[in-house]
Amino acid sequence: MSYLEELNNAQREAVVNTDGPTMIVAGPGSGKTRVLTYRIAHLLNQGADPFSILALTFTNKASEAMRERIEKIAGTNARNLYMGTFHSVFARILRVEAQKIGYPSNFTIYDTDDSRSLIKTIIKEQGLDDKIYKPNQIQWRISAVKNALITPQQYAEDSELITEDRNQRRPATANLYKIYCERCFKSGAMDFDDLLLNTHLILEKFPEVLYKYQHKFKYVLIDEFQDTNYLQYAIVKKIADVFQNITVVGDDAQSIYAFRGATIDNILNFEKDFPDLKVYKLEQNYRSTQNIVKAANELIHRNKNQLKKEIWTENGKGELIKIVRTPSDNEEGRWVADSITELKMREHFRNSGFAILYRTNAQSRAFEEALRRHNIPYKIYGGMSFYQRKEIKDLLAYLKLTVNFYDEEALKRIINYPARGIGQSTLDKIIITATNENKRIWDVLEEIHYFDVPTRTKNAIEEFVLMIKSFAAQSLKMNAYDLASHIGKTTKLISELYNDKTVEGVSRFENVQELLNSIKEFVEDDEVQQPDITEEGEVLNNDKSLGTFLQTVTLLTGDEKDTANQDTVKLMTVHAAKGLEFPVVYVVGMEENLFPGQQSLYSMEDLEEERRLFYVAITRAEKRLFLTYANTRYKFGQLNYCDPSRFLQEIPENVITHHGEMKRAKIHERTNTLLSGLSRAPLTKAPAAPSSPSASGEPFVADDASGLQAGMEVMHEKFGEGKVVSIEGVGANKIAAIHFNGYGIKKIMLKFAKLKILSGGM
């Protein structure tokens, strides 16, 4: 058969041995999709009934692509396969069986928005505070317990869950779960989790239904098995129990979705459920160079919980992996943009050949800004541009309105966010009044006491106007960062985001903190990238006001282009990058408490998942791999000195090279305490960093730099030791060009400089 000739020996074995429990452990770039596709096609070519094959994937796109490939090999029979996502296949089964548990066969499926809307209604009906019982948090809680097979009755009887809710000041959660399930049932509706839960319930309660599907599906195949949760596996294990022709394909080293409920135990303990298991390991990597493959192997071997395998490749050795240290996160963004520009010119890569991978969405800002400055088109994969995110637009709208009361788009956006009792109908009346009387909306708001508006609404509007005016008054004495922080706190926008502990809520809070960090850096940054200097030496762009910051953002983002059909650099989280590959990959923000994240330092399991996440990141690269980190990063408005990630020190020295001397990790005592008992890799030797004011632990005290001259040696808080090359400008607007070891020449405005003078000049 010609299609078998396309496979290597390990792949062929995994395709042709179709009977009995089988696990195909597929390393990155090993042809996993091809093997699964060809195995199903081979079953059809060997005479298997397509209606007897159940194939489960995690995305519709994956199942459609597989079906097309199978059809090319095995013909139109492939159209009769029971193939699709867990939810789509189980919904299909429930259309036939749902009446057994009291649902109509034409039951409605609630999407996430429908589900959240119902929860909002129930919270309101129960007279509960939606600031404590946040609908998306209650929705997340209900989803989690459903996937753990916990019914409303079991929830109410579980003392641990009830105590947890009480500690979070949400004791009514169990009752909300019960009412939510009752309302869904009355409406003849199931949410996405019900599609799994009710399938399991029917198979559990009705033996004849279980018997029917056990004998219907002679072959069960599951893609990305390491991403399955407890409930998904519980269902397929029941269905496959009779014939035991169950095939699971996956890679334990790429199990990175614990936050979604996935459990690595399913793949690690699969053999316990199926003792006759045959295991096929796909270990040849067709994607990456030898250096990248070696780095990945050395890294993942440090995990204790794993299925042992040794990835190898016949590809060339390739370039060394470059570890890059930069002074700050903004410098990190600039370095990556410079590197992309250089590689495009020197090696003729297309934009689409580059990917920038980060641990958290908030990190995208520095790279977006740097790419824009270089006129490099980019696209956020699986998300949206930093300045297009709702939470960023909301805070920026407050800042814009503070600077300009007449910015009507900003005003309309946040007049009732967070909610303050100014409804849309009231706003519509105000807009109509402003139009009829040829006034600005703000003017009408200022005169609201003259209008026929309910007293409660009138008071809310007057408080809003007074608040915005107070922000404007404070802008005369506060710098941009202090004012933005004050606005975020006073409006309760920050606390609103902070209190949302869902994955999405945490990400939104991080994004707003990153915006504040960028304002702090704008205020404190004494480097002038492109100074505008008059003939008299006057610097025109040294204004650190909120208005100047907003102007900078607007100029940076004002040329948003549709990149749908453009050749673009891709930016994404590492989670979003799984399954993708690129010729050149930058894994950025490789610092302790960022990657691995601080939350992962409390247990071995969490730390090992972070290492698997880094493994996924580096195995996306085909030819070139860059790992970057910053010496300093603003966090909650404070400049923090960063330690390089321990993962960088788990990569063998003979496959890496350094750009900028690698700063030795100084792990804090608190982290050591948290990690006592956890295995940590010994630190590999690397050149010491330039002497830094933070190294001694003493606070950095800057000298008066007004008398700085060419030839003087200085110490900078971020860049370390340097030598003054020249002085430009006069008086308070002097700018020094200083050469710093490892960083080149930086132009520093003396008015804002943080310099310690080490020696005199010529």
Side-chain angles (χ1 to χ4, degrees), residues 264-551:
I264 193 173
D265 292 340
N266 287 348
I267 193 166
L268 293 180
N269 300 327
F270 189 63
E271 191 168 4
K272 292 180 182 177
D273 294 323
F274 297 94
D276 297 331
L277 183 69
K278 291 178 289 187
V279 178
Y280 300 96
K281 294 182 180 180
L282 308 183
E283 296 171 303
Q284 183 174 358
N285 179 296
Y286 290 94
R287 175 186 301 155
S288 306
T289 63
Q290 290 177 25
N291 283 331
I292 294 170
V293 167
K294 183 174 182 180
N297 279 334
E298 289 289 321
L299 175 83
I300 205 62
H301 285 169
R302 293 173 185 268
N303 273 7
K304 289 184 178 177
N305 296 316
Q306 64 173 291
L307 302 170
K308 292 290 184 185
K309 58 185 173 298
E310 190 71 30
I311 306 301
W312 59 278
T313 183
E314 291 181 344
N315 295 338
K317 200 163 187 178
E319 298 282 339
L320 292 174
I321 297 166
K322 184 173 281 189
I323 295 179
V324 179
R325 178 179 67 117
T326 63
S328 68
D329 51 342
N330 276 354
E331 286 285 345
E332 184 181 31
R334 290 174 196 138
W335 188 91
V336 169
D338 286 341
S339 174
I340 290 172
T341 302
E342 182 186 347
L343 284 173
K344 283 172 62 179
M345 291 176 64
R346 196 177 71 222
E347 300 185 28
H348 308 294
F349 285 109
R350 290 168 54 82
N351 288 324
S352 56
F354 297 93
I356 302 171
L357 311 184
Y358 34 77
R359 180 65 183 84
T360 65
N361 273 307
Q363 291 170 257
S364 76
R365 179 195 60 82
F367 301 97
E368 290 188 60
E369 291 180 3
L371 292 171
R372 286 176 189 273
R373 288 192 177 99
H374 281 69
N375 291 316
I376 299 173
Y378 68 86
K379 183 176 182 180
I380 306 287
Y381 184 91
M384 61 175 62
S385 175
F386 183 82
Y387 288 105
Q388 293 302 313
R389 294 167 193 166
K390 179 187 181 299
E391 58 278 10
I392 299 301
K393 284 190 161 190
D394 291 337
L395 182 51
L396 285 175
Y398 272 109
L399 304 185
K400 289 175 181 178
L401 195 60
T402 297
V403 170
N404 174 15
F405 297 157
Y406 304 130
D407 186 333
E408 297 193 348
E409 292 308 308
L411 190 152
K412 287 187 285 188
R413 184 177 187 91
I414 46 84
I415 191 170
N416 198 41
Y417 179 76
R420 53 177 60 89
I422 306 172
Q424 187 60 44
S425 59
T426 299
L427 182 58
D428 290 342
K429 287 178 186 175
I430 291 169
I431 293 171
I432 291 169
T433 300
T435 303
N436 291 342
E437 298 188 12
N438 196 26
K439 291 182 177 180
R440 298 179 173 113
I441 294 176
W442 179 263
D443 296 332
V444 176
L445 294 179
E446 282 191 304
E447 300 169 355
I448 198 67
H449 55 280
Y450 295 122
F451 292 89
D452 182 21
V453 176
T455 303
R456 187 174 174 184
T457 306
K458 192 177 292 186
N459 291 340
I461 292 172
E462 287 177 342
E463 286 174 13
F464 174 75
V465 169
L466 190 62
M467 178 179 70
I468 299 299
K469 283 184 174 179
S470 76
F471 294 157
Q474 285 160 324
S475 70
L476 301 175
K477 53 189 177 183
M478 280 185 173
N479 66 37
Y481 171 74
D482 291 337
L483 181 59
S485 296
H486 174 70
I487 290 171
K489 291 171 187 172
T490 305
T491 58
K492 297 202 167 42
L493 189 148
I494 290 176
S495 60
E496 177 100 355
L497 295 171
Y498 177 78
N499 291 330
D500 185 352
K501 300 302 183 186
T502 61
V503 174
E504 295 80 8
V506 170
S507 179
R508 285 192 286 268
F509 177 72
E510 288 174 346
N511 288 337
V512 166
Q513 287 302 325
E514 178 59 21
L515 177 61
L516 292 173
N517 290 339
S518 72
I519 300 174
K520 180 73 168 181
E521 186 149 12
F522 165 79
V523 168
E524 295 198 346
D525 192 4
D526 49 22
E527 181 183 355
V528 182
Q529 289 298 321
Q530 293 178 321
D532 299 325
I533 304 174
T534 66
E535 290 180 3
E536 293 76 27
E538 180 187 0
V539 179
L540 300 178
N541 63 346
N542 65 342
D543 183 5
K544 300 291 183 178
S545 69
L546 182 58
T548 303
F549 173 79
L550 291 172
Q551 178 181 304

Side-chain angles (χ1 to χ4, degrees), residues 192-263:
F192 286 145
D193 298 310
D194 288 330
L195 298 177
L196 304 180
L197 186 63
N198 288 333
T199 299
H200 185 274
L201 177 65
I202 289 172
L203 297 179
E204 184 90 3
K205 286 183 67 176
F206 300 95
E208 71 279 11
V209 177
L210 176 60
Y211 179 91
K212 171 182 172 181
Y213 289 101
Q214 283 177 331
H215 288 78
K216 174 179 178 62
F217 297 124
K218 187 175 179 181
Y219 297 96
V220 178
L221 302 98
I222 307 170
D223 191 18
E224 303 287 9
F225 185 59
Q226 76 282 345
D227 295 336
T228 54
N229 63 27
Y230 175 77
L231 180 51
Q232 288 164 333
Y233 180 43
I235 295 170
V236 293
K237 189 164 59 172
K238 280 180 177 294
I239 291 174
D241 194 46
V242 171
F243 292 108
Q244 300 220 342
N245 290 326
I246 180 170
T247 301
V248 299
V249 183
D251 182 6
D252 60 296
Q254 297 185 64
S255 178
I256 58 173
Y257 291 117
F259 69 95
R260 289 186 191 165
T263 171

